Structure formats: structure tokens, C-alpha cells
Amino acid sequence: MPLPAKVDAALLYAAVPNPDFAAIAERVNAIMAPAGIALQTTTMKPGQGAKLESQGLSLTIAMAGKRLTETRLAKAMASDYTRLTGLDGPAEVAAHHAFVAVVAEAKGFDAGSQDTFETLLALTQIATSHIAMEAEPLAIHWGQSDQLFSPERFLAMADVLFPLPLFCHPRPFSSGRVADGTQCIGFRLERADQVLGRPLLFREAPARLPYLLDRAYAFIDHCRENGRILGDGAQFGASPGEVIAVAMKPPSEEYSQGHIELTLREREGVFQLQPEGAYNPEGMAEAAPETAPAGPLPPAGKTGNAVDDFFSTPDSAARERIGQAATAGVMRPNAMGGLAGTASDALGGIDALRAASKDRMDREKRKSEAHVKQMQWVGFLFGAGIPGWQTAATSPCLQKALPWLAIAAVAMVHPIAAALMLVLHLLRPMPYYVYGGLACLVVFGAVLTGASPQLGYMDLISLVMGGEVSLVSGSSYEPTNLVERDYYESYGEPRSGWSALLGGIF
């Protein structure tokens, strides 16, 4: 059965937003470039939308100053899973009065293939994420899986190239049975057939829904990574002492092509009793390891969810749907920039896009870690450990004000240095604490050299207020404490530089 040739999303707003569509188009092009997809902007209407096109592929972004048809959102609003995520779908939908539609569409002989479909998913996700970053919506409706997302939850997946929670819609169910104080729950994973090749159902188990979902996503990631679905009777585990059985069920009225059932058999080495009536054991193969025992699933695979390294029997139908040949290799792009069914040693298509996405995430992580270290140092220098001081030292208000305060302070003793700092700040801004350090350096230089005019120092306060008022020691020196007074009376001359600084302190 062919896959959809169109993927859409809608961002809901309380009022008409004003995103920069030209900038969004530029970012989408920059991100899709590693996959060999060069989108040309064919239409650009500021405040209205844009259209980008490539060979057999198009992306349309359109603004609408009206409400989205509620019949289109009815199933998403009624979703139990949406409610469990904490989003009040009906309230957010009722509050919106404008929306931005994002539609990616493929045309031609490749439309409806697995690789083209996944390219459309990636393109729509990237465009929608950047619009949400430009103008935060009330909620986001993802049409492919018919789900409503809060902007925070949607943007949390922005740097994950193939986020399964976005593409698969869990439909939880429960018989109501409670085991060991935990209600038994299971779910059908809608749209799993579009990313895996077959529908997926996780049978009821005495566990929390997020726990079971993580295992289902790990299973899908493993199958996609290896280009094969675990055979009937296989088992795997995502943590020590865990056994999850895999069963390939025959066609039924609900699933015309059959489906995959996952069953939690053991958790932390403890056998998990299945609730009564939760499943029919007839036709269920015994869960036994095939070539290797169950093992943990290491995190962080290509799709950002989880992958593993255990063995299983290949499934040819799944290989065909996933678009990967039985032989090992790296998927390469076809004319659409998607994945083809032959092996290749060079990165290309979606794999290149994955690599680029990972590089962006690594760069952002390094920047974030460096920023945290900078904040720790600044907090320490400004009094870390003293209640309120570190927070004040790293506050956004101080970060904005400190460069200008430092430039003003330097201007009082060295106008040339202040002018250089101003030019640097306007052309290439530096971290705010650097300005404070430069100001301290210039002022200490004035103390050490006695504000020597030969070095460019100029005491503006003295010029404005007269010789009696000075920022640094001068000829009109007046002792300020007993030690200084004794030294002055004994030797008849003022001290300057470090001697004056230490003398003033003590």
C-alpha cells in the first residue's frame, strides 16, 4: 500500500503572527542541503507565506487569519494520550483565531515510496520547528499522526531527525486490572505501519505508559536500523533483567495485513503476569531467544531514540517497506534525495541529513556547556555562595548593562581605550564579563602608571571639575589616613602606583 504523498502541520495562534518567512526558507534550505535537496523559493509574500520547490518536491507555508476547521482537529482533541501529556487540547483549539499551514508534497514516480515519505516528514518537521521558534503558537497539530502538541513538547524534538513520538500516535487502553499497585495498561501505536511496515500493539502490563512507550520506540529503532523486523518468538530487553516478547500476528478484521504484538514478560528479573482477558494465547509463539540472549539497548541511535545490537531473523517485507536491501550498507539517496534500496559506503540523502543534525546538536551542546562554565566563573567572581549575589551577577539585566557601564568607567581615565571598546561592542560583541575585566585592567593601569599622558590616559574628572578633584594621584595630592600622612610628612612627596594603592588600603 503506497504511503501518503503529502505531509502537513498547522500552528495555531490566538492572533495573526508575523514570522520572517524569508529567513525560515533560508534555514530550511541550509538544513536540507546535506541531503542534496536544493529548494528554490518560487513564491515569497511577506506576512502571507512562501512556496519552495525542487524536482518532484514542494513545501508550502501559508498564513490564514481564521480558525482551522474543528472537524479536522476533533480526533486529536479527543485523544487520551494528548490529555495525558498535559495539553488541554480543547481549550487551546478554542482560543486560536489564526493558523500557519505547512504542507510538504511529492509528485512523480517516487511519490508514495518509503524514502520520499520520510523526506517529506523531515522537511515538514524542520519548517514547522523554525516557524514555532520565530512565533510561539498555542499548539501544533501534526497531521500525519493526527496529534496535538504543546510548543515546548514539539520543539524538544526539533533536533531529532526522526522523532518517533511525533510520527506515531499511542492509543492507550486498559482492562482496569491493578497488579502490585500499578494499573495494567497497553496501547496501539497508530501510524507505526508507516515507519515500520506493520501495525504495532503493546499488550497490557503492570507498568507506566512512558516505560512501555520507550520499549516500543526502541523496538522500532532497532528494526529500522537493521532493515528487518524481529521474527516471531524473538525477545529483547531494554534494561538488565527485562524480557519483552515479539509475536507476529496473522491478519484479522482490525489488521488486514496482520500486526506485531509486544509483551512484557519479565521486568528486573520478575515474571510479569498478564491481566485476564488481555490477550488470547492461541497462536502465540513461545518467547525464546533466537541466536543470542536478550541484552540492553544502548541509547542514541541514528534516529535519536534507541538502537541495539542483538540478532534476529530478517523480515523481507519490512526490508522492502523501510527501503533497505538485505545486504549491509549505508542507504543512499535517489533522485528525490530520499533513501534507495541499494548499499553504499558514502553518506548521502537522509543519512547525510542525520549527520548534519548530529553535528548541530554537538555544537549546541558544546556552546551550552561552555556557557554554564562561564556562568559558574562569573558567579564565583561576583560572590558565589552568598545568597542572591550569584543570581544578580548572572542576571540578564546585568549582562546588558555591564558593557556600557564598563565603557563609561574607562572613558573617565582613557577615552581612546573606551572608544575601542565601544567599536568592538558594536561590531563584534563579547561576553559581558570581558568588558568588566577590560575596565579593571585599564583602571589598574592608571594606578600603576600614575595616569601618564604619554600612555593615553586623561583624567576627565579633573578636567571638568578642576584640579582639586581627581580619579588618580596627582600633584594636588592630599593624604587620606594616618599612615599616608606620616609618610608624606617624613619624605615630603606623594606615592603612586602599587605603593599608593596598598597604602590607601592599609
Side-chain angles (χ1 to χ4, degrees):
M1 184 175 66
L3 291 165
K6 182 169 69 174
V7 175
D8 64 88
L11 299 91
L12 311 183
Y13 293 91
V16 176
N18 187 31
D20 187 345
F21 290 117
I24 292 168
E26 184 178 345
R27 292 172 198 162
V28 171
N29 265 322
I31 295 172
M32 296 301 293
I37 301 175
L39 294 164
Q40 301 296 325
T41 304
T42 57
T43 305
M44 177 60 66
K45 297 182 178 180
Q48 297 183 44
K51 186 171 185 178
L52 294 80
E53 292 184 298
S54 181
Q55 184 177 3
L57 190 68
S58 68
L59 174 68
T60 304
I61 304 172
M63 174 83 71
K66 60 181 181 180
R67 295 170 59 85
L68 191 63
T69 308
E70 291 196 14
T71 53
R72 181 179 173 184
L73 305 173
K75 289 185 178 179
M77 287 190 293
S79 169
D80 290 331
Y81 181 68
T82 300
R83 178 177 52 82
L84 290 174
T85 62
L87 176 67
D88 189 349
E92 300 295 356
V93 170
H96 93 280
H97 295 282
F99 69 91
V100 175
V102 180
V103 182
E105 189 172 4
K107 296 179 180 179
F109 67 92
D110 275 331
S113 64
Q114 186 74 37
D115 48 347
T116 302
F117 174 66
E118 293 186 8
T119 301
L120 294 177
L121 289 175
L123 183 57
T124 308
Q125 180 201 356
I126 291 168
T128 306
S129 297
H130 281 85
I131 296 172
M133 292 175 192
E134 281 267 333
E136 183 177 338
L138 296 171
I140 299 170
H141 178 256
W142 185 261
Q144 173 262 338
S145 60
D146 199 12
Q147 292 189 82
L148 277 172
F149 293 88
S150 66
E152 296 81 11
R153 185 163 166 253
F154 189 90
L155 290 177
M157 299 180 281
D159 277 323
V160 180
L161 179 66
F162 204 83
L164 292 173
L166 179 61
F167 305 147
C168 299
H169 190 166
R171 296 286 187 178
F173 58 82
S174 176
S175 63
R177 177 174 174 176
V178 177
D180 298 327
T182 303
Q183 181 179 349
C184 294
I185 193 169
F187 59 88
R188 295 176 179 83
L189 201 57
E190 286 189 359
R191 300 296 184 266
D193 58 319
Q194 293 183 351
V195 298
L196 182 61
R198 295 199 184 177
L200 179 68
L201 181 145
F202 208 121
R203 296 211 298 227
E204 285 191 7
R208 299 185 64 214
L209 183 60
Y211 174 90
L212 300 179
L213 282 171
D214 285 344
R215 273 65 189 167
Y217 295 145
F219 172 79
I220 295 175
D221 270 333
H222 165 73
C223 296
R224 288 176 53 82
E225 180 76 12
N226 291 276
R228 60 196 183 194
I229 295 179
L230 291 179
D232 190 47
Q235 67 180 29
F236 68 95
S239 60
E242 181 179 87
V243 176
I244 299 174
V246 181
M248 309 299 294
K249 305 301 288 184
S252 61
E253 292 184 5
E254 190 172 2
Y255 301 106
S256 59
Q257 296 180 341
H259 67 283
I260 304 169
E261 281 191 357
L262 302 181
T263 304
L264 180 62
R265 287 296 182 86
E266 293 184 21
R267 184 179 181 183
E268 298 180 353
V270 179
F271 181 70
Q272 303 292 303
L273 293 175
Q274 295 298 311
E276 296 177 2
Y279 71 102
N280 181 3
E282 184 178 353
M284 170 71 176
E286 289 298 324
E290 297 182 332
T291 322
L297 299 176
K302 274 188 180 180
T303 62
N305 296 296
V307 294
D308 71 321
D309 195 27
F310 50 81
F311 304 92
S312 73
T313 54
D315 184 281
S316 57
R319 270 201 303 271
E320 184 179 354
R321 284 297 303 277
I322 293 173
Q324 189 173 13
T327 55
V330 180
M331 295 175 280
R332 72 183 185 187
N334 58 15
M336 282 290 298
L339 304 179
T342 55
S344 170
D345 294 329
L347 285 179
I350 294 295
D351 279 326
L353 194 56
R354 286 177 177 134
S357 177
K358 185 177 184 300
D359 288 341
R360 289 201 317 277
M361 292 169 63
D362 290 341
R363 287 197 302 270
E364 292 300 323
K365 183 178 179 181
R366 287 194 296 269
K367 286 170 59 180
S368 176
E369 290 174 348
H371 182 70
V372 169
K373 290 179 181 178
Q374 291 169 0
M375 292 299 99
Q376 290 172 342
W377 274 106
V378 173
F380 172 77
L381 294 174
F382 280 84
I386 302 177
W389 281 34
Q390 187 169 3
T391 301
T394 58
S395 66
C397 182
L398 179 66
Q399 294 182 31
K400 293 179 180 179
L402 187 59
W404 299 105
L405 293 174
I407 292 171
V410 170
M412 294 297 176
V413 294
H414 204 303
I416 298 175
L420 291 175
M421 290 174 63
L422 178 62
V423 171
L424 273 176
H425 182 59
L426 295 177
L427 296 181
R428 191 182 180 90
M430 298 178 291
Y432 70 100
Y433 48 83
V434 173
Y435 296 92
L438 290 175
C440 291
L441 186 63
V442 173
V443 172
F444 272 111
V447 173
L448 291 173
T449 63
S452 172
Q454 288 80 5
L455 296 178
Y457 285 102
M458 183 182 298
D459 194 343
L460 295 184
I461 291 293
S462 178
L463 292 176
V464 174
M465 304 297 294
E468 303 83 18
V469 182
S470 177
L471 289 176
V472 294
S473 299
S475 58
S476 57
Y477 174 77
E478 180 68 24
T480 57
N481 56 52
L482 295 176
V483 176
E484 284 288 291
R485 192 179 300 277
D486 291 341
Y487 184 90
Y488 183 71
E489 291 176 355
S490 301
Y491 297 97
E493 60 182 15
R495 290 185 294 174
S496 61
W498 282 105
S499 176
L501 177 64
L502 295 175
I505 295 174
F506 299 104

